[in-house]
Each structure stands twice: as structure tokens, then as C-alpha cells.
Amino acid sequence: MKFDPIIPSDEAADRATPRAGVTIICDVRQGSRPWASARLEDISPGGFRIARLVGARQDVPLRIQIPGIQMLSADIRWIRDGAVGCAFAEPLHVAVFEHIVRSAR
């Protein structure tokens, strides 16, 4: 399976894990805030990028519900122009990652 590289910054150039450009509408919740819909645009086994997450805070973990996948925990690693880059608390198994990418296409 071939993946499209999405590299949002210079520090991403060192990544050895596959990344895939996707468009998935998912539900995200940070802390005790209500669930909100968000557009996931980039995913790897180790993390993901959400196009826009209003009021995101790096010091508060978030939960993400990708359709067809159990709820996952993640930490925000960076925020730029409303977009957020997150790292999964536990990396995705490669089969789960490939399933998400296939389902999104």
C-alpha cells in the first residue's frame, strides 16, 4: 500500500513511519468540553493532524473517535494556525492504521 507523505514542518523530515493524507470526519473531546466534529487530514501509526480545533490546549490530553475504531487517547504536540498535531498515547497497530487509510479512500 502506498501512502502520500504529508510533512507540515521541517522537524517532520526525520520521520521513519508512514504517513497518509486522508479526510475523515471524527469526534474529538478535550478534557470535560463537549464532543466536537473535526476533520482529520493526516495520520500515521504514531499520530495525526486535525485541520482545526478551536480552543485546543497543549496541556490537556484529548480523546478521538475515528469511525469504526475504538476511542483513542492522544496528546497535542503542536498548534499552528488552528491546526493541531497529536501523538497517540499508544501507537496504532499497522493493521489498524492501514484499515483507517483504506476506509478513508
Side-chain angles (χ1 to χ4, degrees):
M1 179 177 283
K2 183 177 176 182
F3 303 107
D4 303 319
I6 304 281
I7 311 242
S9 64
D10 291 337
E11 66 256 13
D14 299 330
R15 290 195 180 119
T17 60
R19 298 190 80 69
V22 295
T23 300
I24 302 170
I25 302 303
C26 56
D27 292 319
V28 178
R29 180 178 189 181
Q30 195 172 28
S32 61
R33 293 173 54 193
W35 287 93
S37 290
R39 188 174 72 228
L40 190 146
E41 293 187 329
D42 172 13
I43 192 165
S44 74
F48 57 94
R49 177 172 46 99
I50 292 177
R52 183 163 179 75
L53 187 59
V54 177
R57 294 179 39 198
Q58 280 189 264
D59 60 329
V60 179
L62 62 82
R63 299 255 187 189
I64 184 167
Q65 180 64 59
I66 299 169
I69 305 296
Q70 70 184 24
M71 186 170 26
L72 302 166
S73 296
D75 294 311
I76 295 177
R77 297 293 189 209
W78 55 262
I79 301 172
R80 284 188 209 108
D81 301 323
V84 295
C86 302
F88 289 115
E90 295 290 327
L92 298 176
H93 185 279
V94 68
V96 174
F97 169 69
E98 290 175 352
H99 169 73
I100 292 169
V101 173
R102 268 193 314 271
S103 297
R105 293 200 168 146

